[in-house]
């Protein structure tokens, strides 16, 4: 028998706040986390703005200085987000805890992994020779190591499946965790994503691929669904959701924040960076999630869109919503939160899933920041500029990644 899946914990490290309360408050207040890059020289870079994490202290999340010194930022962010989420959930896999360690899993992915470690150690190799490359290079750089470290710190001995599907990564981790619990392979999973790719090589690579906004006005750099959009803005951070079998959560008296109720996973099989133009495969992932969630026209739906602010994505995503929802597309509440946070690549799906859960809980739709000149081809209700109150019953978050990866997860209000 398929089991129900609850969300019992949330944790974030973002460009607009390093806990869920601050992140959600700043989403609703229209705070933009994008600014000129502070962490390295930008004079020669083609794009000069990013959404960097600010005022982050690892010790605030139980992270010891020796651990923080040895790890890549993407691992540190993941550990911090998982620490928050586990504390909220109340799960404990210790000897006298409330979950069997063998039934607690970790599905935390990254699109890039330890990018700063890779860049630093490559410079050592080229400038000083191979003997100076750190023996910790590989176990610090590999993209699965955030999940490994979170598992170690939480005694999670169950299934551990770090996904890497570019910008769809953490929507896939949440969806696959949902399926694993639903079909009995675990009782709870720490699911999400982490990314720390705001580096010269990351900026140069995406900018030279014509994907990044080159605006030098931070407030006008990330403009999802805006006719003036010119590309995405690179962001960094992490987000984690604790997914737990519904009856297991109820039995221990946990607060259930939302119910995970649907998941779709498709591939464009079309192009390595461009989305399939007709929206057929993207819409199928969305419809799979909605159908599994039991969506009907009576539902009040919120969609946290992928909404990158690139020319192709926003138009084709609009088309995919229309295909998936039919006549209901016009009444859906939709927004992209990337105007606030930039694009967190492998962490984007998880940070946006947190926003979807918070929208359900609060009955407030976060705005699409900077949407003052709507593209006529993006003619759905994208919640421009200001939040909107709505009696939401269901929310979805979709993600579209390089390689043609499409993912969508659905949540219901509890």
């Amino acid at each position: 028998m398929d089991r129900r899946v609850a969300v019992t914990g949330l944790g974030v490290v973002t460009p607009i706040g390093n806990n869920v309360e601050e992140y959600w408050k700043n989403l609703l207040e229209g705070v933009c986390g994008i600014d000129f890059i502070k962490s390295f020289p930008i004079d020669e870079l083609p794009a000069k703005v990013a959404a960097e994490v600010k005022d982050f202290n690892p010790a605030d999340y139980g992270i010891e200085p020796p651990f923080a010194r040895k790890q890549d930022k993407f691992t540190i962010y993941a550990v911090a987000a998982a620490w928050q989420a586990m504390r909220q959930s109340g799960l404990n896999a210790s000897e006298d805890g409330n979950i069997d360690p063998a039934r607690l899993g970790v599905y935390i992915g990254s699109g890039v992994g330890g990018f700063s470690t890779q860049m630093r150690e490559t410079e050592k190799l080229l400038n000083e020779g191979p003997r100076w490359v750190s023996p910790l290079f590989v176990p610090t750089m590999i993209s699965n190591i955030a999940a490994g470290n979170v598992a170690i710190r939480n005694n999670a001995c169950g299934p551990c499946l770090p996904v890497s599907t570019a910008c769809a990564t953490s929507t896939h981790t949440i969806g696959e965790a949902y399926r694993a619990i639903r079909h009995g392979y675990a009782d709870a999973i720490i699911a999400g994503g982490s990314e720390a790719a705001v580096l010269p090589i990351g900026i140069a690579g995406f900018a030279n691929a014509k994907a990044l906004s080159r605006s030098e006005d931070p407030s006008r750099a990330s403009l999802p669904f805006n006719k003036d959009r010119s590309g995405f803005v690179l962001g960094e951070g992490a987000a984690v959701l604790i997914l737990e079998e519904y009856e297991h959560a109820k039995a221990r008296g946990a607060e259930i924040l939302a119910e995970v109720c649907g998941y779709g996973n498709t591939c464009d099989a079309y192009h390595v960076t461009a989305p399939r133009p007709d929206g057929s495969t993207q819409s199928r992932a969305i419809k799979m999630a909605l159908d599994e969630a039991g969506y009907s026209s009576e539902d009040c739906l919120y969609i946290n869109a992928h909404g990158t602010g690139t020319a192709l994505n926003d138009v084709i995503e609009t088309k995919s919503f229309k295909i998936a929802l039919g006549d209901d597309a016009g009444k859906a509440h939709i927004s992209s939160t990337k105007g606030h946070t930039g694009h967190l690549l492998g962490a984007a799906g998880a940070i946006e899933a947190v926003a979807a859960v918070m929208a359900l809980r609060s009955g407030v739709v976060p705005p699409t920041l900077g949407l003052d000149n709507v593209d006529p081809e993006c003619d759905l209700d994208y919640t421009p500029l200001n939040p909107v109150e709505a009696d939401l019953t269901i929310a979805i978050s979709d993600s579209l990644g390089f390689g043609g990866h499409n993912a969508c997860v659905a949540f219901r209000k509890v």
Side-chain angles (χ1 to χ4, degrees), residues 354-368:
V354 169
V357 170
M358 293 302 293
L360 277 179
R361 287 180 58 74
S362 65
V364 181
V365 177
T368 300

Side-chain angles (χ1 to χ4, degrees), residues 143-193:
S143 59
N144 69 304
I145 207 64
N149 274 297
V150 168
I152 291 166
R153 296 175 75 89
N154 291 280
N155 196 32
C157 302
C160 190
L161 186 67
V163 174
S164 185
T165 50
C167 308
T169 291
S170 51
T171 302
H172 278 133
T173 62
I174 296 164
E176 294 300 325
Y178 157 69
R179 284 184 177 171
I181 296 169
R182 188 178 183 215
H183 299 314
Y185 298 105
D187 291 330
I189 294 179
I190 305 166

Side-chain angles (χ1 to χ4, degrees), residues 86 89-101 104 154 252:
M86 284 293 282
S89 76
L91 278 174
N92 181 352
S94 64
E95 189 172 329
D96 57 350
N98 53 17
I99 187 169
D100 179 353
L104 174 63
N154 291 280
R252 64 182 188 84

